[in-house]
Amino acid sequence: MLVEKIMYAIQCDNCKEILEDGEGFSYWASIGKAEEKAMEAECHKELGMHYCSKCYSFDSNDNLVINKIQVTT
């Protein structure tokens, strides 16, 4: 029997990489679980945008700084 299932992942809005948990998984059965795993992997969410750990930092005033990444499609 063929069963179709929708899976969810979080993609960095800067570098476009699909975020991965510490065990190598990237897709989950619910949006909530995908968000949870992304946050555990040090993803940062700001104003509905997601950033992987290599794409953001905070300055000395605790302001979010997004690293400039050139994405080629």
Side-chain angles (χ1 to χ4, degrees):
M1 173 184 352
L2 178 63
V3 177
E4 185 175 324
K5 178 72 174 166
I6 294 175
M7 301 295 285
Y8 298 92
I10 303 293
Q11 182 179 43
C12 177
D13 285 295
N14 191 41
C15 71
K16 306 302 182 205
E17 281 191 31
I18 300 294
L19 303 176
E20 192 176 283
D21 71 2
E23 298 177 16
F25 295 101
S26 298
Y27 293 87
W28 291 272
S30 72
I31 293 170
K33 186 56 99 172
E35 288 256 344
E36 175 187 325
K37 292 296 188 173
M39 296 306 118
E40 289 175 7
E42 299 182 13
C43 170
H44 181 75
K45 183 177 179 183
E46 178 101 5
L47 301 173
M49 306 285 278
H50 294 86
Y51 302 102
C52 69
S53 60
K54 70 180 179 189
C55 286
Y56 77 92
S57 60
F58 291 96
D59 67 14
S60 59
N61 294 320
D62 212 26
N63 296 310
L64 179 65
V65 177
I66 303 301
N67 301 330
K68 300 290 183 200
I69 301 284
Q70 294 296 327
V71 178
T72 58
T73 56

